[in-house]
Amino acid sequence: MKILVFGQLTDIIGQHEYVMESIDEMKVSSLRQQLLNNYPALLGKKYLIAVNKKMADDNAKIEATDEIALLPPFSGG
Amino acid sequence: MKILVFGQLTDIIGQHEYVMESIDEMKVSSLRQQLLNNYPALLGKKYLIAVNKKMADDNAKIEATDEIALLPPFSGG
Amino acid sequence: MSERKPKNIFVQGAVAPAFIGDSIAKHATNTKIGGHSIFLGQVRADEIEGKKVTGIEYTAYEDMALQKMFEIREDIFAKYPLTCMHVYHSLGVVAEGEICLFVFTSSAHRKAAIDACTECVERIKAELPVWGKEIFAENDYQWKVNS
Amino acid sequence: MSERKPKNIFVQGAVAPAFIGDSIAKHATNTKIGGHSIFLGQVRADEIEGKKVTGIEYTAYEDMALQKMFEIREDIFAKYPLTCMHVYHSLGVVAEGEICLFVFTSSAHRKAAIDACTECVERIKAELPVWGKEIFAENDYQWKVNS
């Protein structure tokens, strides 16, 4: 599962893109939990998760081939 | 009394600036009446009168040395 | 703070786009600015009863307009935390497609710049003794009416 | 009317004031335009806890941002009678005093251009996956927060 990391989250995860071993299919909420296990510094950090470039809520399902992105609060402009 | 004429009123009065013989002091309302007598085509035309570059209402007094201006609706910009 | 005085806003003919670019560039040295808002009025080639507008000829009661613009400027600086505000209005003929009004406000944050610019444009249109004469291709004209 | 497709809005580094002037000049041929509204974001040299911002480094989730910008553009064209709308956002480092965002809307009448420009700026700030990293003179940084 390809995971893109942006903004201040790159300070925690240390890279802009990485591949996470995935169970075949999971919910966004499970991904959040797994990320927190791997990176405890994510605790309390606000971020949205996009699946294939669309915002996904916690109940959305993710497949191994999806493009996942971790999006902290936007600060463009 | 020096009278400046602007915008569409120049089409009626035919000039941008003229000197009108004046009684020593008069009200703006009297000036309006006298202008209408001189230029009947002013009938129904909307315009404001400025005295010394300030808007004046019908009761304001005008002296012979004042600078009068006839201001039809603005259309700048 | 030094007292502000009436500034000339009138330019002969159109406002050149390169002049606008230069005005923007000059603000790079003011690093307290976070947002600029610009309004530009452009002469439309309206068709009115089959006649085509080819330009607008602007005249003004200049002394009174500059005094009124000074009041507007003072009001807007009192109301919004602006770093600066610039206004240019054409006199004489401005051809279709050319710029006749340039209002430029800058502030630390966008909201003040945007609101001040909009308010300034509305007040210029409503309060400045300026008149536009719409010139038709047919060697004819009509006096512009602001909406 | 031909179908609109996502357009690139990203430029490397600052938006040059001369580019803005050129963009304005190009609209002279569209003589249905009566008003342009422009918003420019400029990088402020803020001082934060004694440290001075010397620039902002922008990164974006580009594909998603362009798709979102396309949606915003479609919404705004559906809501306002615009003749055109242009958006440019910087990527990479933009120094203090330089322009990082250029939003440009045009319409026959001023209100549509002004309202569309303001709405576009607000949506860009709230909805585009773009991040700014405020770079301090002290070889340090912090992530920008939009207000």
Side-chain angles (χ1 to χ4, degrees), chain D residues 4-48:
Chain D
R4 283 187 289 264
K5 286 178 190 167
K7 282 201 265 186
N8 188 24
I9 63 166
F10 291 112
V11 293
Q12 280 300 320
V15 177
F19 174 82
I20 298 164
D22 288 347
S23 297
I24 294 165
K26 280 183 190 157
H27 289 74
T29 52
N30 188 337
T31 58
K32 295 205 181 303
I33 294 173
H36 303 285
S37 185
I38 293 174
F39 177 80
L40 303 172
Q42 181 168 306
V43 173
R44 270 196 320 274
D46 279 348
E47 220 180 274
I48 300 165

Side-chain angles (χ1 to χ4, degrees), chain B residues 32-77:
Chain B
R32 276 191 188 273
Q33 187 55 51
Q34 196 167 325
L35 286 165
L36 187 57
N37 294 344
N38 296 355
Y39 300 98
L42 285 175
L43 186 69
K45 296 293 175 194
K46 281 182 68 172
Y47 63 95
L48 298 170
I49 291 181
V51 177
N52 298 325
K53 306 181 185 78
K54 298 268 179 204
M55 292 304 178
D57 64 26
D58 275 0
N59 289 317
K61 282 183 183 149
I62 311 173
E63 295 181 43
T65 54
D66 288 336
E67 178 178 294
I68 309 299
L70 312 183
L71 312 175
F74 307 152
S75 54

Side-chain angles (χ1 to χ4, degrees), chain D residues 1 4 70-83 85 105-107 109 111-123 127:
Chain D
M1 201 166 79
R4 283 187 289 264
F70 176 67
E71 289 172 33
I72 295 172
R73 184 188 300 274
E74 291 291 292
D75 288 351
I76 288 179
F77 268 93
K79 188 166 170 185
Y80 301 101
L82 297 185
T83 54
M85 170 170 152
T105 54
S106 309
S107 184
H109 299 281
K111 191 165 165 37
I114 291 170
D115 291 350
C117 186
T118 305
E119 187 166 325
C120 188
V121 171
E122 294 304 321
R123 290 195 63 179
E127 298 178 37

Side-chain angles (χ1 to χ4, degrees), chain C residues 3-87:
Chain C
E3 203 182 325
R4 283 186 288 264
K5 288 180 188 163
K7 282 200 266 187
N8 189 25
I9 64 165
F10 292 113
V11 294
Q12 280 300 318
V15 177
F19 174 81
I20 298 165
D22 288 347
S23 297
I24 294 165
K26 280 182 190 157
H27 289 74
T29 52
N30 187 336
T31 57
K32 295 207 180 300
I33 295 172
H36 304 285
S37 185
I38 293 174
F39 178 81
L40 303 172
Q42 181 167 307
V43 173
R44 269 198 320 275
D46 279 348
E47 222 180 272
I48 300 164
E49 294 170 11
K51 290 185 287 189
K52 191 175 150 290
V53 173
T54 61
I56 296 180
E57 184 181 5
Y58 287 100
T59 50
Y61 185 8
E62 289 187 52
D63 286 350
M64 187 176 170
L66 296 182
Q67 198 169 301
K68 176 53 80 176
M69 190 62 233
F70 176 67
E71 289 173 32
I72 295 172
R73 184 187 300 274
E74 291 292 293
D75 287 351
I76 288 179
F77 268 94
K79 189 167 170 184
Y80 301 100
L82 297 185
T83 54
C84 44
M85 168 168 153
H86 306 280
V87 173

Side-chain angles (χ1 to χ4, degrees), chain A residues 7 11 53 67 72 74-77, chain D residues 58 61 89 130-132 141 143 146:
Chain A
D11 289 351
K53 306 181 186 76
E67 179 178 293
F74 307 152
S75 54
Chain D
Y58 288 101
Y61 186 8
H89 194 298
V130 176
W131 297 270
Y141 68 87
W143 291 93
N146 271 1

